[in-house]
Amino acid sequence: MRLHINVDHVATLRNARGTPYPDPIEAARMCLDAGAHGITAHLREDRRHIRDNDVERLRATLRSTFNLEMASTDEMIDIACKVVPDVVTLVPERREERTTEGGLEVAKAPPALRTHVEKLRAADIKVSLFIAPDLAQVEASHALGVEQIELHTGEYAHAAGDAEVEKRELARLAAASTRGRELGLEIAAGHGLTTKNVGALVAIPEIVELNIGHAVVADAVFIGLPGAVRAMLAAIDKGRARR
Ligand code: PXP
């Protein structure tokens, strides 16, 4: 199981005051030192947290996997082809949303999505698509020729405590994971994951990567970033052991 920490909200805190600190690149280094396997950052079209310069510095300094999330637009694909992160995760993006609210619509995607995937692959970049745990989306992702899908765990995470909804969402995530593996896709997951809800999710054996941001940065306020990363790794290990 790979844990990639999303450092967007370290940049959110920095940008709130226009100071050079806290630096998301320094945060990335600390996360890796604490045992994370990679770093994720989302360059949004409005640059509300991570900025172009952060992306360049992450690429220049990271020796572990760098997963760059972005919308499927010509501008973003050009940036990715220049920076060449290890992975690009294509996500849907709406300016008015607080965070990525839904999965990418792959099954009815405009032709540009295929062009963008092909450009990234031609630049030797692994491509992952952030999708809802729906079989139609999984199959459409496979048809586009990507290596990986990241299943949106928001519906599961937001069920917080409603056992019925949690059970239903975990079943959807498990079915999408099984279908994805049958098709040869690597399965990642993310969104809204915390030390409390990650355990049941990692019981799904096909999931090999998690992208987690907000909860780790929030925990870091109280226990420090290395402590927050280690707590998440421990929660994942505990969940895996329960399988
Ligand atoms: N994965 C993707 C594709 C995302 O867009 C996000 C949010 O930026 C995350 C994972 C991380 O979600 P969270 O910050 O809720 O952990």
Side-chain angles (χ1 to χ4, degrees), residues 4-6 8-9 40-42 44 49 67 69-70 89-92 97-102 128-131 150-154 157-158 189-194 210-217 232:
H4 293 177
I5 301 294
N6 179 318
D8 291 354
H9 296 305
T40 298
H42 184 173
R44 293 187 74 101
H49 37 58
N67 172 25
E69 294 178 8
M70 55 172 50
T89 301
L90 294 176
V91 304
E97 69 189 357
R98 245 186 297 174
T99 178
T100 318
E101 280 165 4
S128 181
L129 300 180
F130 187 48
I131 59 170
E150 179 176 341
L151 300 176
H152 195 311
T153 52
H158 299 147
H191 198 92
L193 297 176
T194 67
L210 298 174
N211 288 283
I212 307 182
H214 186 260
V216 169
V217 174
M232 189 58 76

Side-chain angles (χ1 to χ4, degrees), residues 4 12 14 17 35 48 50 52 75 81 87 109 112 128 134 137 141 152 190-191 194 213 231 233-235:
H4 293 177
T12 302
R14 174 195 63 189
R17 280 294 181 92
R48 69 173 75 152
I50 293 294
D52 300 61
E75 182 207 7
C81 289
V87 187
S128 181
D134 290 336
Q137 301 296 346
S141 300
H152 195 311
H191 198 92
T194 67
L233 286 166

Side-chain angles (χ1 to χ4, degrees), residues 42-212:
H42 184 173
L43 184 67
R44 293 187 74 101
E45 291 184 272
D46 62 10
R47 313 300 200 263
R48 69 173 75 152
H49 37 58
I50 293 294
R51 295 176 174 157
D52 300 61
N53 176 259
D54 296 323
V55 169
E56 282 154 24
R57 289 193 304 135
L58 282 168
R59 174 67 297 174
T61 54
L62 286 186
R63 296 287 163 260
S64 306
T65 306
F66 176 27
N67 172 25
L68 182 58
E69 294 178 8
M70 55 172 50
S72 170
T73 65
D74 291 347
E75 182 207 7
M76 287 296 155
I77 301 304
D78 284 349
I79 291 172
C81 289
K82 262 188 228 126
V83 172
V84 195
D86 302 289
V87 187
V88 162
T89 301
L90 294 176
V91 304
E93 202 173 296
R94 283 184 290 124
R95 273 185 193 234
E96 64 279 13
E97 69 189 357
R98 245 186 297 174
T99 178
T100 318
E101 280 165 4
L104 201 59
E105 178 48 69
V106 186
K108 294 183 211 122
L113 181 61
R114 180 176 289 277
T115 311
H116 291 158
V117 168
E118 282 166 2
K119 270 197 178 172
L120 293 169
R121 299 207 62 200
D124 246 348
I125 301 168
K126 176 175 167 182
V127 183
S128 181
L129 300 180
F130 187 48
I131 59 170
D134 290 336
L135 298 187
Q137 301 296 346
V138 175
E139 284 161 11
S141 300
H142 172 250
L144 274 188
V146 298
E147 289 95 332
Q148 180 170 299
I149 50 174
E150 179 176 341
L151 300 176
H152 195 311
T153 52
E155 302 272 332
Y156 162 65
H158 299 147
D162 185 331
E164 240 350 57
V165 180
E166 277 183 4
K167 199 169 151 209
R168 185 191 71 211
E169 289 305 320
L170 283 171
R172 286 179 70 212
L173 288 157
S177 301
T178 304
R179 185 69 186 127
R181 276 312 299 150
E182 277 168 10
L183 294 169
L185 294 165
E186 258 181 81
I187 316 294
H191 198 92
L193 297 176
T194 67
T195 50
K196 290 199 173 59
N197 65 23
V198 78
L201 180 77
V202 297
I204 299 172
E206 291 88 354
I207 296 177
V208 294
E209 177 187 306
L210 298 174
N211 288 283
I212 307 182

